[in-house]
Amino acid sequence: MIPLKRRKVVPTGAGNTGSEETSPNKFPQVVLFLLERKMGASRRAFLSQLGRKKGFQVEELFSEGITHVICENNSGDEVIAWLESQVRGRGRATAHLLDVSWFTESMRAGRPVEILDRHQLQQQQIREVEVVVFSAPSYACQRRTTLDNHNAILTDALSLLAENAELSGEDGRGVAFRRAAGVLKGLPEPVTAVTQLVGLPCLGGHSLRVVKDILENGASCEVEDTKQSERFKVLKVLTGIFGVGVKTAERWIQEGIRGLQQLQDSGRTLNRAQQAGLQHYEDLNQHVTRSEADAVAAVVEEAVASVLPGARMTLIGGFRRGKLTGHDVDFLITHPEEGREVGLMPKVVSWLESQGFLLYQKTTKNSYLEGEDGPARPSSNMDRFERCFSIFKLTEEVNGEGLKPWRAVRVDLVVSPISQFAFALLGWTGSKLFERELRRWAGHKKAMSLSSHALYDNTQRRYLRASSEEEIFAHLGLEYIPPSERNA
């Protein structure tokens, strides 16, 4: 190591100074910039000083006056993406993109050597071809998003940051990350450069930095740090207990509880849902397969038909959108004759209990009232249908998997009057972001209020009736999007 007091510091723009470390600029038509990416700061500083000694002008900062960009271990695509991000909105960068071999040969020759094919970065010949720039509507309810996600590595990263924000009580940041992920999910091709995302909605600076980090380095430091965060891991475990929300988990953490065994050993009093959630934790945190969902559906359908012939039952949620696995199974139940559904839920629950299918259940009554002055603002985002939150005992005889005698599965039953069925079907199909954006579109663009119960026109001061999802989309002035394309 050279002692610090003897080390010379090369100031910015040293190529234009008269320092003893710098020779006069011998080649005014050549302005060099050494890209630090993958080269490293120390090697870049050494090579920059060497170039100045040889009479070359070497700039510390990139500008449009640069004629030669010197790179090491970078592909042409990587450097083009970096350059485009530097000159955004100011035209296209026109510098030569060269491997460090051109620089070292020029240093040996004491002059700029001829640029040969071997000096140019790989794929430099297609540099002038325009990168495909994606476009997308602002609202997720305007976009068709299938399960064919071409950018899973990017959307998984943003979704994890969204989850971390939500677990930290920062719902606004969580929504921002989920909207950004939703846009990327809908793109028709993989993203290869951040320049393709210029002008896309919902992609803020934070999300773009994460995307850029992954595209350039294969991973995001922020995402990897989040995965390793002790607090994040503990919150994931505790909120993975059925019936435990973020606030409860935070309180337990403050009291020193870090895992399931500590919670069991603490002697803490748990409510019925939490007791069931802790008892069946392993099962409830495994994905439910489509075949298991179909097995549950067969049982629920038998129960509904037994207590109210003619009633209709529909599998909703992610499975209706075409997903092959899910966290739970949801069903929407109605009857073609308005009012016949009243009293149905207790009978269905009683039938399931008598057959030994329910490990836990909690039923809530319908509290929705349609007001003359429009719908009252609900106390929460949850709808007010008659519902049964349950943990279902799926036996080997029913599911046919043969892995063990039975497993616990989360099942939600929702009963809707036929007059509200189309709205309930739309609201309960999801995805969560798609539904959030539908409500946002209704309010911001159409001056309407949309819920899983009804659609109210605030300008005309009247309810807009619908007997199908297609009619609701038409009321909102939107092109109908089928369930399989609502996976925002």
Side-chain angles (χ1 to χ4, degrees), residues 237-239 241-242 244 248-249 252-253 255-270 274-275 277-279 281:
V237 169
L238 295 180
T239 57
I241 303 171
F242 174 62
V244 175
T248 299
W252 288 349
I253 290 174
E255 295 171 1
I257 295 173
R258 295 290 186 272
L260 303 183
Q261 191 60 53
Q262 281 183 300
L263 178 61
Q264 289 174 324
D265 295 342
S266 69
R268 189 168 309 282
T269 301
L270 305 178
Q274 293 165 354
Q275 291 173 19
L278 188 58
Q279 181 180 356
Y281 183 88

Coordinates of all heavy atoms in Angstrom, one line a residue, residues 237-239 241-242 244 248-249 252-253 255-270 274-275 277-279 281:
V237 N -44.3 -15.7 10.0 CA -44.7 -16.9 10.8 C -46.0 -16.6 11.6 O -47.0 -17.3 11.6 CB -43.6 -17.4 11.7 CG1 -44.1 -18.4 12.7 CG2 -42.4 -17.9 10.9
L238 N -45.9 -15.5 12.4 CA -47.0 -15.2 13.3 C -48.3 -14.8 12.6 O -49.4 -15.3 12.9 CB -46.6 -14.1 14.3 CG -45.5 -14.4 15.2 CD1 -45.2 -13.3 16.1 CD2 -45.8 -15.7 16.0
T239 N -48.2 -14.0 11.5 CA -49.5 -13.7 10.7 C -49.9 -14.9 9.9 O -51.0 -14.8 9.3 CB -49.2 -12.5 9.8 OG1 -48.1 -12.7 9.0 CG2 -49.0 -11.2 10.7
I241 N -50.7 -17.6 11.2 CA -51.7 -18.2 12.0 C -53.0 -17.7 11.7 O -53.3 -16.5 11.7 CB -51.4 -18.0 13.5 CG1 -49.9 -18.5 13.8 CG2 -52.4 -18.7 14.4 CD1 -49.5 -18.1 15.2
F242 N -54.0 -18.5 11.3 CA -55.3 -18.1 11.0 C -55.9 -17.3 12.2 O -55.8 -17.8 13.3 CB -56.2 -19.4 10.7 CG -57.6 -19.1 10.5 CD1 -58.1 -18.3 9.5 CD2 -58.6 -19.7 11.4 CE1 -59.5 -18.1 9.3 CE2 -59.9 -19.4 11.2 CZ -60.4 -18.6 10.2
V244 N -54.8 -14.3 13.1 CA -53.8 -13.4 13.7 C -53.5 -12.3 12.6 O -53.0 -12.6 11.5 CB -52.5 -14.1 14.1 CG1 -51.5 -13.1 14.6 CG2 -52.8 -15.1 15.2
T248 N -51.7 -7.8 16.2 CA -51.6 -8.8 17.2 C -50.2 -9.4 17.1 O -49.5 -9.6 18.2 CB -52.6 -10.0 17.0 OG1 -53.9 -9.4 17.1 CG2 -52.4 -11.1 18.0
A249 N -49.7 -9.7 15.9 CA -48.3 -10.2 15.8 C -47.3 -9.2 16.3 O -46.3 -9.6 17.0 CB -48.0 -10.5 14.3
W252 N -47.2 -9.4 20.1 CA -46.5 -10.6 20.6 C -45.0 -10.4 20.4 O -44.3 -10.9 21.3 CB -47.0 -11.8 19.8 CG -48.4 -12.2 20.2 CD1 -49.2 -11.7 21.2 CD2 -49.2 -13.1 19.5 NE1 -50.4 -12.3 21.2 CE2 -50.5 -13.2 20.2 CE3 -49.1 -13.9 18.3 CZ2 -51.5 -14.0 19.8 CZ3 -50.1 -14.8 17.9 CH2 -51.3 -14.8 18.6
I253 N -44.6 -9.8 19.3 CA -43.1 -9.6 19.1 C -42.5 -8.7 20.2 O -41.5 -9.0 20.8 CB -42.8 -9.1 17.7 CG1 -43.1 -10.1 16.7 CG2 -41.4 -8.6 17.6 CD1 -43.0 -9.5 15.2
E255 N -43.6 -8.5 23.1 CA -43.6 -9.3 24.4 C -42.6 -10.5 24.3 O -42.5 -11.3 25.2 CB -45.0 -9.8 24.6 CG -46.0 -8.7 24.9 CD -47.4 -9.2 24.9 OE1 -47.6 -10.4 24.7 OE2 -48.4 -8.4 25.1
G256 N -41.8 -10.5 23.2 CA -40.7 -11.5 23.2 C -41.0 -12.8 22.5 O -40.2 -13.7 22.5
I257 N -42.2 -12.9 21.9 CA -42.6 -14.1 21.2 C -42.1 -14.1 19.7 O -42.3 -13.1 19.0 CB -44.1 -14.3 21.2 CG1 -44.6 -14.5 22.6 CG2 -44.6 -15.5 20.3 CD1 -46.1 -14.6 22.7
R258 N -41.3 -15.1 19.3 CA -40.7 -15.1 18.0 C -41.1 -16.3 17.2 O -40.6 -16.4 16.0 CB -39.1 -15.1 18.2 CG -38.5 -13.9 18.8 CD -38.7 -12.7 17.9 NE -38.0 -11.5 18.4 CZ -38.6 -10.6 19.2 NH1 -39.8 -10.8 19.6 NH2 -37.9 -9.5 19.6
G259 N -41.9 -17.2 17.7 CA -42.2 -18.4 16.9 C -43.4 -19.1 17.5 O -43.9 -18.8 18.6
L260 N -43.8 -20.2 16.9 CA -45.0 -21.0 17.3 C -44.8 -21.6 18.6 O -45.7 -21.6 19.5 CB -45.3 -22.0 16.2 CG -45.6 -21.5 14.8 CD1 -45.9 -22.7 13.9 CD2 -46.6 -20.4 14.8
Q261 N -43.6 -22.2 18.8 CA -43.4 -22.9 20.1 C -43.4 -22.0 21.3 O -44.0 -22.3 22.3 CB -42.0 -23.7 20.0 CG -41.8 -24.7 21.2 CD -42.9 -25.7 21.2 OE1 -43.2 -26.4 20.2 NE2 -43.6 -25.9 22.4
Q262 N -42.8 -20.8 21.1 CA -42.8 -19.8 22.1 C -44.2 -19.3 22.4 O -44.6 -19.1 23.6 CB -42.0 -18.6 21.7 CG -40.5 -18.7 21.9 CD -39.7 -17.5 21.5 OE1 -39.8 -17.0 20.4 NE2 -39.0 -16.9 22.5
L263 N -45.0 -19.2 21.4 CA -46.4 -18.8 21.6 C -47.2 -19.9 22.4 O -47.9 -19.6 23.3 CB -47.1 -18.6 20.2 CG -48.6 -18.2 20.3 CD1 -48.8 -16.9 21.0 CD2 -49.1 -18.1 18.8
Q264 N -46.9 -21.2 22.0 CA -47.6 -22.3 22.8 C -47.1 -22.3 24.2 O -48.0 -22.5 25.1 CB -47.3 -23.6 22.1 CG -48.0 -23.8 20.7 CD -47.6 -25.0 20.0 OE1 -46.4 -25.4 20.1 NE2 -48.5 -25.7 19.3
D265 N -45.9 -22.1 24.4 CA -45.3 -22.2 25.8 C -45.7 -21.0 26.6 O -45.5 -21.0 27.9 CB -43.8 -22.3 25.7 CG -43.3 -23.6 25.1 OD1 -44.2 -24.5 25.0 OD2 -42.2 -23.7 24.7
S266 N -46.1 -19.9 26.0 CA -46.4 -18.7 26.8 C -47.6 -18.7 27.6 O -47.8 -17.9 28.6 CB -46.5 -17.5 25.8 OG -47.7 -17.6 25.0
G267 N -48.5 -19.7 27.3 CA -49.7 -19.8 28.1 C -50.7 -18.7 27.7 O -51.7 -18.5 28.5
R268 N -50.4 -18.0 26.6 CA -51.3 -16.8 26.3 C -52.7 -17.3 25.9 O -52.9 -18.4 25.3 CB -50.7 -16.1 25.1 CG -51.3 -14.8 24.7 CD -50.5 -14.1 23.7 NE -49.1 -14.0 24.2 CZ -48.7 -13.1 25.2 NH1 -49.6 -12.3 25.7 NH2 -47.5 -13.1 25.6
T269 N -53.7 -16.6 26.3 CA -55.1 -16.9 25.9 C -55.4 -16.5 24.5 O -55.2 -15.4 24.1 CB -56.1 -16.2 26.8 OG1 -55.8 -16.5 28.2 CG2 -57.5 -16.5 26.5
L270 N -55.7 -17.5 23.7 CA -56.0 -17.3 22.3 C -57.5 -17.4 22.0 O -58.2 -18.2 22.7 CB -55.3 -18.3 21.4 CG -53.8 -18.4 21.6 CD1 -53.2 -19.5 20.7 CD2 -53.1 -17.0 21.3
Q274 N -57.7 -18.3 16.5 CA -56.3 -18.5 16.7 C -55.9 -19.9 17.2 O -54.9 -20.4 16.8 CB -55.8 -17.4 17.7 CG -55.9 -16.0 17.1 CD -55.8 -14.9 18.2 OE1 -55.7 -15.2 19.4 NE2 -55.8 -13.7 17.7
Q275 N -56.7 -20.4 18.1 CA -56.4 -21.8 18.6 C -56.5 -22.8 17.4 O -55.6 -23.6 17.3 CB -57.5 -22.2 19.6 CG -57.4 -21.4 21.0 CD -58.5 -21.8 21.9 OE1 -59.2 -22.8 21.7 NE2 -58.7 -20.9 22.9
G277 N -56.1 -22.0 14.3 CA -55.0 -21.7 13.3 C -53.7 -22.2 13.8 O -52.9 -22.7 13.0
L278 N -53.4 -22.2 15.1 CA -52.2 -22.7 15.6 C -52.2 -24.3 15.5 O -51.2 -24.9 15.2 CB -52.0 -22.3 17.1 CG -50.7 -22.6 17.8 CD1 -49.5 -22.0 17.0 CD2 -50.7 -22.1 19.2
Q279 N -53.3 -24.9 15.8 CA -53.4 -26.3 15.8 C -53.2 -26.9 14.4 O -52.6 -27.9 14.2 CB -54.8 -26.7 16.3 CG -55.0 -28.3 16.4 CD -56.4 -28.6 16.9 OE1 -57.2 -27.8 17.3 NE2 -56.7 -29.9 16.9
Y281 N -51.7 -25.3 11.8 CA -50.8 -24.3 11.1 C -50.1 -24.9 9.9 O -50.1 -24.3 8.8 CB -49.7 -23.8 12.1 CG -48.8 -22.8 11.5 CD1 -49.1 -21.4 11.6 CD2 -47.6 -23.1 10.9 CE1 -48.3 -20.5 11.1 CE2 -46.7 -22.2 10.4 CZ -47.1 -20.8 10.5 OH -46.3 -19.9 9.9

